[in-house]
Amino acid sequence: MAKPKRFITTPIYYPNSRPHIGSAYTTIVADFFARLYRELAYGTYFLTGVDEHGEKIQKAAEAKGETPQQLVDEMASSFKDAWKRLGISYNRFIRTTEKSHEKLVREILMKVYEKGDIYKDVYEGYYCVSCERYYTEKELLPGLLCPYHHKPVEKKRIDAYFFRMAKYRDELLAYYRENPQFLPPKYKEEILNKMKDLKDICISRPVNQVSWGIRLPFDEEHVAYVWFDALLNYMSGLDDKMQFWPPDLQFMGKDILWFHAVLWPAMLISAGFALPKREIAHGFLTVDGKKMSKSLGNVVDPLEMAEKYSADTLRYYLLTKLPFGDDGDFSRAVFKEAHNSELLGHYGNLANRLVKLWHRVAGKAEIEQEGKLAVDECFAKLESLKAKIEELAASNDVESLLPFYANDVFMDGVGAINAYLNEKEPWRLEPSEAEPILRQALEAFLYVSTLLKPLLPASTSKIFSSFGYEPCVSELELGATLSKVKTIPKELFLFKRVE
Ligand code: MSP
């Protein structure tokens, strides 16, 4: 039977500034899963991009003395460049200023309007430009400050169009009940609480206030609210590949879960589309215990970290050292320790030690090109790693996959090979005795490294290109990999110590 598909998304980022550690975190998590499902031979489509309309972008452009188009053009390239440097394997990078996206947004708006789910009224509320959303007075902090940005909000009274979101309350609640995976367990209560008082939502801005947006097809004097526009990227970004619909895994930070868990499915019910399977929220990062902010000067630049250590170190740190779903602290000390003792000490040194030993001790031996290697019992449990990964992936158990990779695959899987070498001490043996031991260890090393491809794509790619053979997880068989390599490299440096 053919494997099912996975449509994986990140939020589309506001290109008012360069990618920061928050956007890098969401993107790297999503990329890990996209790579994992590809390794398991699922039909995988991984979408990311930028959210280019709205007041926030319009104001950022004004402040820089540029047109919004100039600003978003520059920024879209800066995001693409960052994702390239961090090894993000997206299938499609969507920009909401693309004609095909604008066309789809207008079509959906028209559909929802014709269904009677959009009406005109007067809106009065407090708008936070940084959030691109309205708050009611009781949602604000004392002094009428935005609860997220702690900045003053603007009181506005406008003629506007509303989407009949409240009408879909019961249908949404039923969907949550029937699809227990849809809401992230940690934030479920919060969403359900907000549902008690679900109101219709304002989905337009008058052109004289915000001109940088998509015009409503039924009233060209208004532009679509940026969230109504942005959420539809998940559909327009598929282009003609609607066979991937609906989204399977939608990743985001907890601050924007509400839009994805409530507004987004309500829009889709109204427009008549199947609903996404899982909305997955991660927590917020602080830096060395403090809120990350420009004024504190403690903003972590993901590209700088990747440059100084490696892109794999950044990925390894974010995926294995932070408690996914909860808030976490970005600690430079832990980061450095993860690089030097875990990536280099536990894994990188093993790689180099193994290939060097092979050439020193068993170097004249030929790699047997046929048959399957009978694998030592010490490594038998490696096969259960693959089985477990397949099982967790099939059930979309994102929360368990990350710690499983950190502890079972990386720590224990690699640890088993280190322990084997330390016990057998092949460096003390005659070549004829050492050779079968190194053969075992190399086979196990290639096996674990294949499993590690989604976690450490750059390092594992270096390993496989130097061996001249790259297996993928779905075809992996313990005992059948070493016989397929073209060569065993003389040395293999994966990570450099950072002082
Ligand atoms: N444009 C909207 C999303 C529209 S999706 C249809 C948006 N853009 S954003 O640029 O602000 O997104 C930032 C992403 O980074 C969100 O997932 C957010 O949760 C995440 N983070 C921003 N700061 C963060 C931290 N300090 N820590 C972790 N992630 C945070 O929202």
Side-chain angles (χ1 to χ4, degrees):
M1 200 183 74
K3 282 273 169 75
K5 59 93 186 173
R6 286 292 184 277
F7 175 21
I8 298 173
T9 68
T10 75
I12 47 171
Y13 304 108
Y14 291 125
N16 58 333
S17 66
R18 305 179 61 81
H20 52 71
I21 195 73
S23 39
Y25 184 37
T26 320
T27 310
I28 287 172
V29 170
D31 185 70
F32 169 82
F33 287 99
R35 286 179 185 267
L36 179 66
Y37 282 105
R38 283 191 203 110
E39 282 295 317
L40 297 173
Y42 284 63
T44 305
Y45 193 87
F46 175 25
L47 175 68
T48 190
V50 279
D51 186 356
E52 301 186 301
H53 290 130
E55 197 168 346
K56 195 205 266 288
I57 302 297
Q58 191 173 320
K59 289 200 165 156
E62 276 162 20
K64 277 186 94 180
E66 292 180 346
T67 65
Q69 190 65 53
Q70 279 170 327
L71 176 72
V72 297
D73 286 348
E74 283 161 30
M75 284 298 171
S77 330
S78 116
F79 271 83
K80 281 187 179 168
D81 174 61
W83 298 154
K84 192 168 169 193
R85 285 158 67 184
L86 300 182
I88 303 303
S89 63
Y90 57 78
N91 294 92
R92 170 85 158 89
F93 184 97
I94 176 125
R95 300 182 53 184
T96 53
T97 50
E98 288 175 39
K99 286 285 159 285
S100 55
H101 172 78
E102 298 187 352
K103 181 165 173 271
L104 180 96
V105 172
R106 283 167 64 90
E107 279 165 17
I108 300 282
L109 278 164
M110 201 62 198
K111 216 166 167 178
V112 175
Y113 181 73
E114 281 171 351
K115 192 168 174 192
D117 281 351
I118 292 176
Y119 60 92
K120 199 171 185 181
D121 205 342
V122 171
Y123 190 84
E124 210 176 58
Y126 296 91
Y127 198 72
C128 170
V129 176
S130 297
C131 293
E132 290 280 20
R133 63 166 288 187
Y134 282 102
Y135 287 99
T136 58
E137 192 163 345
K138 70 172 200 262
E139 288 171 316
L140 297 173
L141 297 177
L144 301 179
L145 302 179
C146 162
Y148 277 103
H149 294 92
H150 300 221
K151 285 196 285 203
V153 292
E154 287 172 40
K155 188 165 187 181
K156 288 187 181 177
R157 193 187 146 82
I158 53 171
D159 269 350
Y161 287 90
F162 286 74
F163 169 53
R164 289 188 201 283
M165 185 160 66
K167 165 178 165 188
Y168 292 107
R169 184 172 166 271
D170 290 345
E171 253 177 280
L172 289 171
L173 289 171
Y175 187 74
Y176 302 158
R177 260 196 318 276
E178 286 152 22
N179 300 273
Q181 270 200 330
F182 180 72
L183 294 176
K186 287 190 176 129
Y187 301 104
K188 188 173 176 168
E189 275 313 305
E190 199 179 315
I191 296 288
L192 292 178
N193 269 334
K194 284 193 186 167
M195 289 295 283
K196 288 183 186 145
D197 187 28
L198 190 63
K199 299 216 164 49
D200 290 347
I201 182 171
C202 175
I203 53 145
S204 71
R205 303 286 177 263
V207 172
N208 59 17
Q209 261 180 36
V210 182
S211 55
W212 184 239
I214 300 176
R215 305 278 169 131
L216 300 183
F218 41 83
D219 185 344
E220 304 277 338
E221 288 308 306
H222 295 259
V223 301
Y225 172 41
V226 63
W227 272 98
F228 201 100
D229 162 354
L231 286 162
L232 286 167
N233 92 85
Y234 300 131
M235 190 179 288
S236 63
L238 279 179
D239 303 313
D240 55 354
K241 299 188 195 61
M242 277 302 276
Q243 70 268 26
F244 282 100
W245 190 263
D248 295 279
L249 301 171
Q250 302 209 274
F251 291 94
M252 70 207 72
K254 63 177 184 181
D255 54 327
I256 58 174
L257 177 63
W258 187 87
F259 293 99
H260 287 81
V262 183
L263 171 60
W264 174 224
M267 284 163 60
L268 290 171
I269 301 174
S270 173
F273 290 92
L275 304 190
K277 304 267 195 245
R278 282 206 76 180
E279 302 299 326
I280 304 156
H282 62 72
F284 259 53
L285 297 179
T286 50
V287 178
D288 298 322
K290 295 197 193 72
K291 186 174 155 45
M292 203 182 325
S293 81
K294 285 194 186 128
S295 53
L296 285 176
N298 65 349
V299 174
V300 177
D301 179 350
L303 295 175
E304 214 176 280
M305 296 305 281
E307 194 79 20
K308 181 166 172 200
Y309 292 84
S310 75
D312 276 1
T313 309
L314 177 68
R315 175 184 279 262
Y316 178 78
Y317 176 82
L318 294 174
L319 294 174
T320 70
K321 301 293 163 203
L322 297 173
F324 188 79
D326 293 320
D327 291 347
D329 187 44
F330 189 100
S331 151
R332 292 179 200 266
V334 177
F335 192 100
K336 184 168 161 187
E337 181 69 10
H339 178 86
N340 285 334
S341 38
E342 295 176 16
L343 290 174
L344 174 63
H346 188 65
Y347 186 52
N349 286 346
L350 170 67
N352 197 36
R353 184 165 161 221
L354 264 180
V355 298
K356 284 190 130 156
L357 268 173
W358 174 267
H359 287 283
R360 202 176 86 212
V361 186
K364 298 286 173 291
E366 292 283 306
I367 310 162
E368 277 169 41
Q369 295 288 342
E370 270 162 49
K372 209 177 135 183
L373 183 70
V375 180
D376 202 295
E377 237 182 84
C378 310
F379 296 130
K381 71 168 183 204
L382 294 183
E383 274 182 310
S384 68
L385 295 180
K386 179 185 162 185
K388 186 75 183 173
I389 291 169
E390 281 171 334
E391 178 197 321
L392 294 173
S395 59
N396 283 331
D397 192 348
V398 165
E399 290 80 359
S400 306
L401 270 162
L402 289 170
F404 186 77
Y405 253 87
N407 303 322
D408 299 76
V409 185
F410 185 82
M411 278 303 164
D412 298 351
V414 174
I417 312 171
N418 277 316
Y420 181 80
L421 289 179
N422 291 340
E423 188 205 317
K424 306 274 178 184
E425 302 189 312
W427 49 90
R428 292 186 193 280
L429 303 175
E430 290 298 314
S432 62
E433 293 167 317
E435 190 243 303
I437 290 167
L438 290 171
R439 200 183 290 281
Q440 292 283 327
L442 276 168
E443 175 69 27
F445 175 76
L446 292 172
Y447 189 90
V448 175
S449 297
T450 308
L451 298 179
L452 287 173
K453 281 164 77 179
L455 183 65
L456 302 172
S459 323
T460 51
S461 156
K462 187 165 177 186
I463 293 170
F464 295 117
S465 63
S466 63
F467 278 85
Y469 172 66
E470 175 157 352
C472 72
V473 176
S474 65
E475 287 162 359
L476 196 59
E477 208 188 327
L478 191 59
T481 305
L482 185 62
S483 59
K484 299 199 183 90
V485 307
K486 297 227 161 43
T487 174
I488 295 179
K490 293 235 155 50
E491 54 183 26
L492 192 49
F493 295 111
L494 301 181
F495 302 95
K496 271 203 213 94
R497 170 165 286 278
V498 177
E499 295 307 338

